[in-house]
Amino acid sequence: KLRRCLFTLLGHLDYIRTVQFHPNATQFPWILSASDDQTLRLWDFQKRSCLSVLTGHNHYVMCASFHPSEDLIVSASLDQTVRVWDTAGLRKKQLGGPGLDEGYPGMMDVNGNRGGTSAAAATALNVQAELFGTNDVVVKYVLEGHDRGVNWAAFHPTLPLLASAADDRQVKLWRMSETKAWEVDTLRGHANNVSCCLFHPKQELVVSNSEDRSIRVWDVSKRVGVQTFRREGDRFWILAAHRSQNLLAAGHDSGMIVFKLERERPASAHGPGDKLYYVRGRELFCHDYSRATGGSSGVDVPIASLRRVGQQAQTDGIGSGPRFLSYNMHNPTEGNILVCSEVDGGCYELITFSLTNAGGSVTDGKRGSCLGPGVFLGRNRFAVLDRHKREIVVKNLNNETTKRVAAPVPNVDCLYDGGASGRIILRSDDRAVLFEVQSRRVIGELTAPKIKNVVWSPDGSKVALLCKYGVVIANRQLEQLCSISDTVRIKSGAWDVSPSGGTNSNLFVYTTLHHVKYCLPTGDTGTIRTLDNPIYATRVVKDSLFCLDREARSRVISIDTTEARFKLALANKKYGQVMHMVKHSRLCGRAIVAYLQSKGFPEVALHFVRDPQTRFRLALACGNIEAAMESAFSLEQQQGADGKARDVWGELGSEALRQGNHQVVEMSYQRKKDFDRLSFLYMLTGDNEKLRKMLKISNMRNDIMGRYHNALLLGDAAERVAVLEASGNLPLAYISAKLHGLDDVAERIKVAIETQEGSVEGLLEKVPVGTKKGGRLLQPPTPIVRASNWPTHEIKKTTLEDLSAADAGDEYEEEAPASAPADTGAADGAAAWDDDFGMDDGGAGIGGDDDFDLGDDDMGWGDDLDGLGDIGGDDVASDQVDDMAAFNEISGDVGFQMPPAGRPAAACWVANSSHAAHHMAAGGASSAMQLLHRQIAASDFSKLKGPMLGCYLGSTVSLPGVPGSGSMIVPLMRNDAAGHPGNDSLPRTSLTMKSLVTGVRMGYKYFQTGKFTEAKNAFTEVLSQIPLTVSENRNQANEMKEMVSICREYITAIRIKEAITAAGSDPVRSTELSAYFTHCNLQPVHLLLALRSAMGTAFKHKNFIVAASFARRLLELPDMRSERNADLRMKATKVLQRSEQMARNEHTLNYKENAAFSIDCKDLVPVYTGDESVKCSYSGSVYKGTSMKGQVDVTDGFSTVGVETIGLVTGK
C-alpha cells in the first residue's frame, strides 16, 4: 500500500534485462536476473543475498527464466546461443547441504560478506564468484543455430521443448533429453527482429511478436502459422500469458494490449424436453438433464464429429470452431442441427440424426455460406442470411434454395429465432425487427443496442434480448416489457423452467463476468451470487442453475432465487405465497424494505425490520398504531425522554388524532409534555377532572398563560381573575370580577388599584355590556360521546393484512391459513397483520371498558399529570412518577445489559436530512441519486459525478494512526461549533454559496468579453453544483433558486448566439434569433449588448418595425444616459428615425413583440401563452409540444423533461 522499496539487491555491473521469481517461491525464495554484464544471478530475497553468479555468455544476456517444474534455467544472449542451466546442485545445497549461516562458496550477501568464513577467505571466494561463477549451477546444454543474437527463450509448460526468438527473424523449436538437446524446426514468417516468444499455457501453440509490428501464432504439431495480428505504427517487444485464463498481453511502442486468441463461449442450443446440444472441441454432444445422478447435471451423449472447413481445415486453426448452434424444434421425428461458424466469412453445416439412436445414423455434408446463425422456420426448412446481398435465403433439408426474401430494413447483419414457425428476428444497427417470412410483414420492432443473443421463454410468451450491456424483455409480438442495463458485459441468460412456484417463463436469470443476476418482466432486478469464473447459463430449475463453463463442461451451481420469487409473487398479487415467504424465508436487508415501501406495502416491510426508528416510520405509513407505540417506547429507552424521542411522540399523536384515537393522542401529548394541546384535548373530550389537573400543573410550573387558558377552558371566572391579579393586570382583573359578579373580589382589587394611585373610573365603560361584543361567561362544551374512546377512523386493510382475502387456490394456503392466530407476541411483530385496529367497547384494544381515569388506574400509560413538568419545590418532589421505572425494574431482574451501540456519523447524516449532498457525504451514492431523481428528475448522473465525489471526499479527513495501524477517518461536521451534536450531526460539504457566486461571476465575465464557450461551461458547472449545495438559511435558498434561473437564461442566450452565427446568410432566422436574444433575462449591461446586436441585424435585413422596437428598448435602458454610451445613443436614435420612416418589415418573422412568450430551449422558437409545452422541473427550461417529454434537458444535461417533482431541495 505504501508503494515503497523494500530492499535493493546490488551486484550487476550493467543494465538488467529481466527478473523472475521462482515458480515455487515459498520453498525456494529465489529471484533470477539477466544483465548486460553477460551474467545471470540467482538471489535469495529472504536473506537478501546472492546465491550464485552464472557466467558463460560472451554478450548481453537478453532474458532468463525458470522451468515451471524442473531444476532448469534457460537464458538467451546476443552471442547467438541459448543456454540451459541445471540448478539441481543449488537446490540440494539449499535443502540438504550446510546451513546458510555456515557459509559456502558462492554464497554472499549484498555487502560482499560471507557467513562462517574468515575475512580473507571471504574476499578470495568473492573474487572467484565474480570472475568465474560457482559450481552450484552448471550449464547443461548450449543451443547454437541462430544466425544473429537471440532475444528470448522459453520452456514448454509440460513437454521437453524450448522455443527461441532471435534477430535472424526466426523462431526455433528445440527438444531436450537427459543428455542432449537439438533443433526440431524453424518457424519463418516474421519480417524483422523477433522480440519475444512463448508457449500457450493451454493449447499446443507458440506465440511470437516482432519489430515487424505483428504477433504470430504457430501450431506446434503442424509447425505452421495459424493466425497473425498486426498493428500499424507500433513495434512489439514483450509477451505474457495468463496462467489460468485464455488471455495474452503484448507490449508495444505506445502501450500494451490484452487479447484472446479465440472466443471461449461454447456453442449450444436447447433441444426438446430436457436436452441440450453443445460442441466441445470437434465433437457434438447431447446433454440429457433427465438422466442426472448424484451431483452430476446429466449424461453426455456424443452425436457426431464435426469436420474442419475452410482454409484452416488442415490445422487446428484458432477461431475455426463453431460459433452458433440451432436446433429444429418444429421437427418431432428426427433431429436437425445447424452448426454455424465464422470461417471464411461465415458458413453453416446441416447435421441430421435419429432421435431414438442419436449416435447411430448421422447425416452431414450439407454445407453453405451464411452470415451469422441460421434459423429453422418449420419442420423441413431453414433460413440463413446471404453474406453478400444481405437477403434472407430459405432452404429445405436437402440444402436446396426455395425462396429469397429481401430484408424489410437495411443493414441486417444477423438472424435469430422468432419464437414461432415462420418468424425470425432481424438485427439491424441498434434495432430488433420481428419478421414473418411467408407474408413478408414486420410484426414488431424495438430498440436494443448491440444484440448478442435471443432467448425465448419455454412457453414462447416472452423473449429476452441479450445486449452487450443490458437485457431487453419483450412479449411474443416484440413489444417491450422492460429494459435493464448493466455496467459489465452480459455473458448468457436462461429462463426458469420450474414446474411449480409461478416462476416458469417469468424469471430470467443472466450471468456477467463475476455475477449471477435476475430480471423480472416487471423491470425488477437483483444480484443472486458471485462467480469465480465466467459461466454460460443454459437452464434454471428452482434453486439450481445449469450451465457450461469455458471448457464446455456441464455444471450445476446452487442459487437462491427467494428474493426474485418474492418480488414476482408480489407483482402477480399472490398474497398467500407472499405471506408464506415472509414467515418462512430469510428475506432481509434494506433493499427489500425499500422495495416494499416503493411498491406501497409498508406493512410487509414491517416484518423484516428490527430497528425501532425504521419500524416506527413503517408503522405510521401503514397506520399500525400498536406497532408504532411499541417502537416509540423502544426509541424512548434508547434516546431518553428528551430530544428526538419527543418528536417521535408528536408524530404518533398526529397519526392517532387522524384516526380519532384520542386515548393514544393523550398518551403521546403526555410523553411529549405538550400541555397546551393536552388541555385542548381534555376540553374537546369533556374531561373536566383532567382539565382541573392541568390547571394545577400550570400553577405548579408558574405558567401564567397556561393557567389562564385552563381557567378559560374550565369556565372558572374566579381563577381567571386570580391569574390576572397575580400577573399585575389589575384593571383587567377588576373588569372581569365586576362582569362575573365577584363583588368582594372586585372591591379588594379596587382598593389595590387606588393604593397604587390608580382609578377604576371609566374602566367598565370600555366594555359594551349587553351587546354581542360584550363580555360573557365561557363554559366548556358538553361532549356528545362519553364513551371511553371516540369512533376511530377505519384504516383500510390491504389484502396482505387479511389473509382470508388471498386466493383460495394458492398453493401456500394450507401452510399459512387465514385463520391462524394473529397474536403471537410483540417479538415477532405479527399482531399487526390480522388486527383490524377496531377499538370498540368490547375489544381488548387500548382503553377497553376502562374510563381511563387518571387518578388510580392508568393502564400502564404513565399518565399521572402530577408528574409532568418542572414544578419545583421539595413538597411536591415525591409526587413525581418515573415513567421508565417499570422498565428499570425489568432490566434489574434480568442482570447486566450491554449499553446501546452508538450510531456512526454517516448513519446520522442520512437519517437527519433529505438533501442529496448529505447522503452522498455519508457514502450513500444510491440514495443520493434516488433523492435527486425524485426531487429534480435527475437521470444522467455523469454530469453530477464531480460534485457528488466532492461531497463524499470533502466530508471526512484522514488522520494517520500509530505505527502499524491504519489511518483514522474523522467526519467533518458543520453543526459542532457549540459541542458535539450527537445524533443530530450533519456533514460539512465542499460546495458553498460562495463557490456558486464565484462561478456565476466568472460566467458574467466571460460573457462580457465574448468568450461564450467558457461562459456556457461556467454556468453549466454552477447548474450541476446547485443540487449538491446546502443552504444555511432561507435567503440563501432563494438565492440558489434564483441562480438556477440565471444560469438557464444565460445558457439559452449563448445557444441563441451560437445559432445566430450558424444561421449566417439566412435573414429571417438570424433576425428572429436576434429578437429572441433580447428576451433572455440578462443583466442590464449584457441586455444592452443584445439589443445593440439585434437592432443592427434587423436594420441590416430591412426589418424596420422590429429594428425600431429594439432601438426604443435600447434608448430606455438606464445605462444609455452615461457618456460612454453617447455614440451608441446617437446610432440608436438614427436607426429609430430611419425605421419610423420606412415602417415596414422586409420579411415575415415568427416574433410577436407585445406577446408574452418563453423560448423553446431545444428549437429556439417562441412558446406563447396557451401553446402546449413541457417543462424541466429543475432548470425550468420550456419545450414546445410534447416531443421532449421523457428526454434529458438540453440546458442542464441531467434532468428529465416533463416529470412533475417537488423541485430543488436546498436545506436539510
Side-chain angles (χ1 to χ4, degrees):
K1 291 182 179 180
L2 299 179
R3 294 184 177 89
R4 60 183 179 88
C5 178
L6 298 179
F7 55 86
T8 303
L9 302 174
L10 301 176
H12 281 295
L13 306 177
D14 207 337
Y15 299 136
I16 298 174
R17 293 285 181 173
T18 63
V19 290
Q20 184 189 17
F21 283 97
H22 194 281
N24 187 8
T26 56
Q27 186 176 7
F28 301 102
W30 296 352
I31 295 177
L32 174 64
S33 60
S35 171
D36 283 358
D37 64 3
Q38 305 178 15
T39 67
L40 292 78
R41 285 180 179 257
L42 276 170
W43 312 83
D44 187 320
F45 61 79
Q46 290 182 352
K47 300 294 184 179
R48 304 182 186 180
S49 58
C50 179
L51 298 177
S52 182
V53 181
L54 284 60
T55 60
H57 286 292
N58 53 29
H59 208 304
Y60 299 161
V61 183
M62 301 301 291
C63 83
S65 62
F66 289 104
H67 193 282
S69 58
E70 299 182 14
D71 297 326
L72 297 176
I73 291 174
V74 64
S75 61
S77 171
L78 294 186
D79 62 5
Q80 304 180 14
T81 66
V82 176
R83 290 177 178 255
V84 179
W85 311 77
D86 189 350
T87 61
L90 182 60
R91 176 180 59 83
K92 293 176 182 178
K93 181 172 289 188
Q94 289 284 296
L95 295 180
L100 294 179
D101 295 336
E102 299 176 9
Y104 53 84
M107 173 65 184
M108 66 192 81
D109 62 18
V110 294
N111 298 317
N113 298 325
R114 208 176 292 268
T117 61
S118 63
T123 303
L125 291 174
N126 195 5
V127 173
Q128 177 187 355
E130 290 290 343
L131 294 178
F132 307 108
T134 63
N135 57 0
D136 299 331
V137 181
V138 296
V139 177
K140 191 170 185 179
Y141 314 117
V142 178
L143 308 179
E144 297 177 340
H146 284 286
D147 298 332
R148 302 188 67 179
V150 186
N151 293 316
W152 204 266
F155 286 113
H156 192 281
T158 57
L159 299 177
L161 292 177
L162 272 172
S164 59
D167 288 344
D168 58 5
R169 307 177 183 179
Q170 298 175 358
V171 177
K172 288 184 178 291
L173 295 178
W174 312 80
R175 182 174 291 275
M176 300 179 297
S177 67
E178 290 296 328
T179 58
K180 63 178 181 177
W182 64 95
E183 180 181 339
V184 176
D185 206 345
T186 300
L187 307 176
R188 295 179 176 87
H190 283 293
N192 206 335
N193 300 339
V194 186
S195 307
C196 186
C197 66
L198 54 81
F199 288 95
H200 195 280
K202 290 188 177 183
Q203 303 181 38
E204 294 303 315
L205 300 172
V206 172
V207 185
S208 63
N209 61 7
S210 168
E211 295 180 39
D212 62 2
R213 302 177 177 84
S214 71
I215 300 174
R216 290 180 179 266
V217 183
W218 315 84
D219 190 317
V220 174
S221 58
K222 301 294 190 300
R223 297 164 191 169
V224 294
V226 294
Q227 201 168 11
T228 302
F229 304 94
R230 298 188 183 277
R231 183 180 180 88
E232 298 298 330
D234 287 324
R235 297 168 296 176
F236 286 100
W237 298 102
I238 192 71
L239 275 171
H242 196 282
R243 292 183 179 179
S244 58
Q245 299 183 21
N246 185 24
L247 294 176
L248 296 172
H252 51 79
D253 286 336
S254 58
M256 179 185 70
I257 60 172
V258 179
F259 60 99
K260 291 182 179 181
L261 295 182
E262 62 180 348
R263 300 179 187 273
E264 297 177 284
R265 183 193 306 272
S268 63
H270 288 281
D274 297 331
K275 292 182 173 58
L276 173 73
Y277 295 90
Y278 68 94
V279 176
R280 183 194 307 147
R282 290 292 173 183
E283 291 289 331
L284 175 64
F285 289 91
C286 174
H287 188 79
D288 193 348
Y289 292 115
S290 61
R291 298 165 62 181
T293 57
S296 66
S297 61
V299 177
D300 286 333
V301 179
I303 302 296
S305 296
L306 304 178
R307 298 181 182 178
R308 300 186 179 96
V309 295
Q311 298 177 358
Q312 299 173 341
Q314 302 302 319
T315 66
D316 290 328
I318 302 299
S320 63
R323 179 79 191 281
F324 307 102
L325 283 189
S326 297
Y327 183 84
N328 189 1
M329 301 292 289
H330 310 288
N331 191 353
T333 59
E334 63 179 3
N336 309 120
I337 288 182
L338 278 173
V339 181
C340 304
S341 65
E342 296 179 340
V343 176
D344 297 337
C347 63
Y348 69 88
E349 179 181 359
L350 177 62
I351 299 177
T352 303
F353 56 92
S354 172
L355 292 178
T356 57
N357 185 12
S361 58
V362 178
T363 304
D364 60 355
K366 301 180 179 65
R367 300 182 179 87
S369 62
C370 67
L371 180 63
V375 177
F376 285 98
L377 297 177
R379 186 182 63 83
N380 57 358
R381 57 197 176 104
F382 63 92
V384 294
L385 185 64
D386 188 286
R387 66 190 186 194
H388 300 294
K389 298 181 181 180
R390 302 296 175 93
E391 292 180 335
I392 302 170
V393 182
V394 180
K395 298 189 176 187
N396 57 25
L397 296 185
N398 294 324
N399 205 24
E400 299 169 347
T401 301
T402 61
K403 185 187 298 185
R404 285 181 174 268
V405 180
V409 292
N411 303 327
V412 175
D413 57 1
C414 196
L415 302 181
Y416 295 107
D417 184 19
S421 177
R423 291 184 178 184
I424 57 176
I425 293 179
L426 308 177
R427 183 180 72 183
S428 173
D429 297 330
D430 287 343
R431 292 183 297 167
V433 180
L434 182 60
F435 182 64
E436 193 172 69
V437 178
Q438 186 67 28
S439 61
R440 303 190 181 187
R441 65 187 180 96
V442 175
I443 300 175
E445 181 179 345
L446 56 78
T447 300
K450 300 179 181 180
I451 301 175
K452 298 299 181 182
N453 199 6
V454 168
V455 183
W456 284 91
S457 61
D459 59 1
S461 62
K462 301 178 186 66
V463 60
L465 306 178
L466 299 184
C467 304
K468 189 173 183 179
Y469 292 104
V471 178
V472 179
I473 295 182
N475 60 15
R476 63 182 307 163
Q477 303 300 325
L478 211 63
E479 297 171 347
Q480 181 172 319
L481 300 178
C482 72
S483 175
I484 63 168
S485 58
D486 212 317
T487 56
V488 294
R489 291 188 178 184
I490 308 297
K491 292 294 183 182
S492 64
W495 289 93
D496 189 288
V497 295
S498 303
S500 61
T503 57
N504 191 308
S505 300
N506 285 314
L507 170 61
F508 185 73
V509 177
Y510 65 96
T511 64
T512 62
L513 192 63
H514 294 297
H515 291 91
V516 178
K517 301 183 179 182
Y518 70 86
C519 174
L520 303 179
T522 58
D524 295 319
T525 64
T527 300
I528 298 177
R529 59 167 292 171
T530 58
L531 296 172
D532 296 329
N533 296 303
I535 59 172
Y536 303 94
T538 58
R539 175 186 173 94
V540 178
V541 181
K542 293 186 178 178
D543 286 340
S544 297
L545 173 63
F546 298 87
C547 57
L548 295 173
D549 57 18
R550 284 180 164 173
E551 283 73 34
R553 302 289 180 182
S554 183
R555 297 173 52 194
V556 56
I557 63 174
S558 61
I559 58 176
D560 186 3
T561 59
T562 305
E563 180 182 323
R565 288 187 278 111
F566 176 80
K567 293 181 179 180
L568 187 62
L570 198 62
N572 294 336
K573 298 182 180 180
K574 295 184 178 180
Y575 298 125
Q577 183 177 351
V578 170
M579 293 307 303
H580 178 272
M581 297 178 71
V582 166
K583 295 178 180 179
H584 298 88
S585 300
R586 295 182 178 180
L587 286 169
C588 60
R590 295 183 179 179
I592 286 290
V593 174
Y595 176 81
L596 290 169
Q597 284 186 282
S598 65
K599 296 297 182 180
F601 294 100
E603 67 278 3
V604 183
L606 203 60
H607 280 259
F608 302 106
V609 179
R610 290 295 174 262
D611 177 58
Q613 184 70 35
T614 309
R615 282 185 61 84
F616 179 77
R617 300 295 177 193
L618 292 173
L620 289 187
C622 60
N624 190 335
I625 295 296
E626 288 185 350
M629 284 171 47
E630 177 187 348
S631 301
F633 279 115
S634 300
L635 287 172
E636 188 178 53
Q637 279 186 294
Q638 294 180 4
Q639 301 174 358
D642 296 329
K644 282 193 173 182
R646 292 192 177 185
D647 298 335
V648 168
W649 289 116
E651 295 178 29
L652 178 60
S654 299
E655 176 61 23
L657 190 62
R658 186 185 69 84
Q659 296 185 18
N661 192 333
H662 74 80
Q663 293 182 347
V664 178
V665 176
E666 177 185 1
M667 185 272 298
S668 301
Y669 289 166
Q670 291 175 9
R671 294 281 179 175
K672 191 180 178 183
K673 299 183 180 180
D674 195 340
F675 301 106
D676 294 337
R677 285 189 172 89
L678 201 55
S679 298
F680 192 71
L681 177 67
Y682 290 150
M683 187 271 291
L684 290 178
T685 56
D687 197 335
N688 293 340
E689 182 180 353
K690 294 179 182 177
L691 199 56
R692 289 190 184 92
K693 284 199 172 187
M694 292 302 300
L695 177 62
K696 178 182 177 183
I697 290 175
S698 60
N699 189 20
M700 294 177 179
R701 297 176 62 247
N702 294 322
D703 183 5
I704 296 297
M705 287 303 299
R707 183 180 171 190
Y708 186 80
H709 286 158
N710 284 297
L712 188 65
L713 296 177
L714 280 169
D716 191 343
E719 181 66 22
R720 280 155 50 194
V721 172
V723 171
L724 291 173
E725 184 180 3
S727 62
N729 295 293
L730 297 180
L732 290 177
Y734 177 76
I735 294 173
S736 181
K738 291 294 290 182
L739 291 178
H740 292 94
L742 303 175
D743 296 333
D744 295 341
V745 177
E747 197 63 31
R748 178 172 54 80
I749 295 174
K750 176 181 178 181
V751 173
I753 293 175
E754 292 175 349
T755 303
Q756 298 177 4
E757 300 180 356
S759 175
V760 297
E761 295 181 3
L763 289 179
L764 294 177
E765 297 176 1
K766 298 179 180 180
V767 181
V769 181
T771 64
K772 291 183 179 180
K773 296 182 180 180
R776 64 187 63 186
L777 179 63
L778 293 179
Q779 292 291 338
T782 303
I784 300 175
V785 180
R786 289 189 177 273
S788 60
N789 206 349
W790 288 345
T792 56
H793 175 71
E794 182 181 0
I795 302 299
K796 185 177 180 181
K797 293 189 294 183
T798 65
T799 311
L800 286 171
E801 288 182 282
D802 190 1
L803 289 182
S804 61
D807 292 337
D810 192 274
E811 59 182 300
Y812 294 95
E813 189 77 8
E814 296 179 359
E815 297 181 23
S819 59
D823 187 12
T824 57
D828 58 6
W833 295 92
D834 296 314
D835 189 3
D836 60 359
F837 306 111
M839 298 179 183
D840 53 359
D841 292 342
I846 300 173
D849 295 331
D850 197 289
D851 62 355
F852 214 66
D853 179 50
L854 289 175
D856 300 321
D857 186 9
D858 61 2
M859 293 295 291
W861 292 82
D863 50 8
D864 191 348
L865 298 179
D866 293 338
L868 294 176
D870 183 12
I871 59 177
D874 297 333
D875 55 336
V876 295
S878 59
D879 295 332
Q880 296 184 359
V881 178
D882 185 3
D883 296 327
M884 311 308 294
F887 293 94
N888 293 335
E889 292 174 2
I890 294 175
S891 63
D893 295 337
V894 173
F896 173 78
Q897 292 185 354
M898 290 293 293
R903 300 180 66 189
C908 297
W909 297 347
V910 172
N912 294 338
S913 175
S914 60
H915 201 286
H918 293 159
H919 284 246
M920 192 63 212
S926 176
S927 61
M929 289 189 286
Q930 289 178 3
L931 287 174
L932 291 173
H933 178 69
R934 295 183 186 130
Q935 294 167 2
I936 61 174
S939 58
D940 186 359
F941 293 94
S942 61
K943 307 287 185 182
L944 300 172
K945 180 178 179 181
M948 292 179 75
L949 288 177
C951 289
Y952 175 70
L953 298 175
S955 63
T956 56
V957 63
S958 178
L959 299 179
V962 298
S965 66
S967 300
M968 295 180 293
I969 304 300
V970 179
L972 300 177
M973 305 178 189
R974 66 183 181 92
N975 57 344
D976 58 350
H980 195 284
N983 291 337
D984 297 326
S985 66
L986 291 172
R988 291 184 183 270
T989 53
S990 58
L991 297 174
T992 60
M993 191 68 186
K994 184 177 180 181
S995 60
L996 298 180
V997 172
T998 302
V1000 173
R1001 288 178 178 173
M1002 290 300 297
Y1004 285 160
K1005 181 179 178 181
Y1006 289 133
F1007 191 94
Q1008 180 74 23
T1009 56
K1011 298 178 180 179
F1012 296 111
T1013 302
E1014 291 82 356
K1016 184 178 179 182
N1017 293 337
F1019 288 118
T1020 304
E1021 184 177 1
V1022 172
L1023 269 184
S1024 65
Q1025 292 176 351
I1026 288 176
L1028 294 161
T1029 305
V1030 183
S1031 61
E1032 298 291 337
N1033 48 53
R1034 185 176 296 275
N1035 292 334
Q1036 285 192 4
N1038 294 333
E1039 289 177 9
M1040 288 168 61
K1041 294 179 180 179
E1042 185 179 355
M1043 281 184 184
V1044 174
S1045 300
I1046 292 173
C1047 294
R1048 179 193 68 239
E1049 294 296 324
Y1050 272 85
I1051 291 174
T1052 305
I1054 293 171
R1055 294 184 62 245
I1056 293 175
K1057 187 65 178 176
E1058 295 171 349
I1060 293 174
T1061 305
S1065 59
D1066 187 356
V1068 177
R1069 185 58 176 164
S1070 59
T1071 305
E1072 290 176 349
L1073 291 171
S1074 300
Y1076 305 155
F1077 195 18
T1078 64
H1079 284 267
C1080 294
N1081 190 9
L1082 308 177
Q1083 295 292 319
V1085 62
H1086 301 151
L1087 181 61
L1088 184 146
L1089 299 176
L1091 287 170
R1092 183 178 68 178
S1093 175
M1095 180 183 69
T1097 303
F1099 190 84
K1100 173 184 175 183
H1101 297 306
K1102 299 181 181 180
N1103 296 311
F1104 298 107
I1105 296 178
V1106 295
S1109 68
F1110 296 146
R1112 292 191 195 97
R1113 291 173 60 190
L1114 187 61
L1115 292 172
E1116 291 172 359
L1117 292 177
D1119 290 347
M1120 291 297 292
R1121 300 172 184 173
S1122 62
E1123 287 298 321
R1124 69 171 181 268
N1125 293 324
D1127 294 338
L1128 180 59
R1129 184 168 63 248
M1130 186 179 300
K1131 290 180 181 179
T1133 304
K1134 291 181 180 180
V1135 169
L1136 179 60
Q1137 293 174 354
R1138 177 64 175 168
S1139 299
E1140 289 176 345
Q1141 292 174 2
M1142 303 305 294
R1144 289 290 186 275
N1145 277 342
E1146 183 73 15
H1147 307 95
T1148 302
L1149 305 176
N1150 183 16
Y1151 172 62
K1152 299 177 183 179
E1153 175 188 357
N1154 298 322
F1157 65 88
S1158 303
I1159 300 174
D1160 187 315
C1161 291
K1162 179 185 178 185
D1163 299 327
L1164 302 179
V1165 295
V1167 181
Y1168 295 100
T1169 304
D1171 291 348
E1172 185 179 13
S1173 63
V1174 291
K1175 191 176 183 180
C1176 176
S1177 59
Y1178 171 56
S1179 67
S1181 301
V1182 179
Y1183 298 90
K1184 192 172 184 178
T1186 58
S1187 60
M1188 280 295 291
K1189 188 173 183 180
Q1191 304 296 320
V1192 176
D1193 183 24
V1194 176
T1195 302
D1196 56 44
F1198 54 84
S1199 294
T1200 304
V1201 178
V1203 180
E1204 185 177 356
T1205 66
I1206 195 173
L1208 180 66
V1209 175
T1210 57
K1212 76 168 187 175

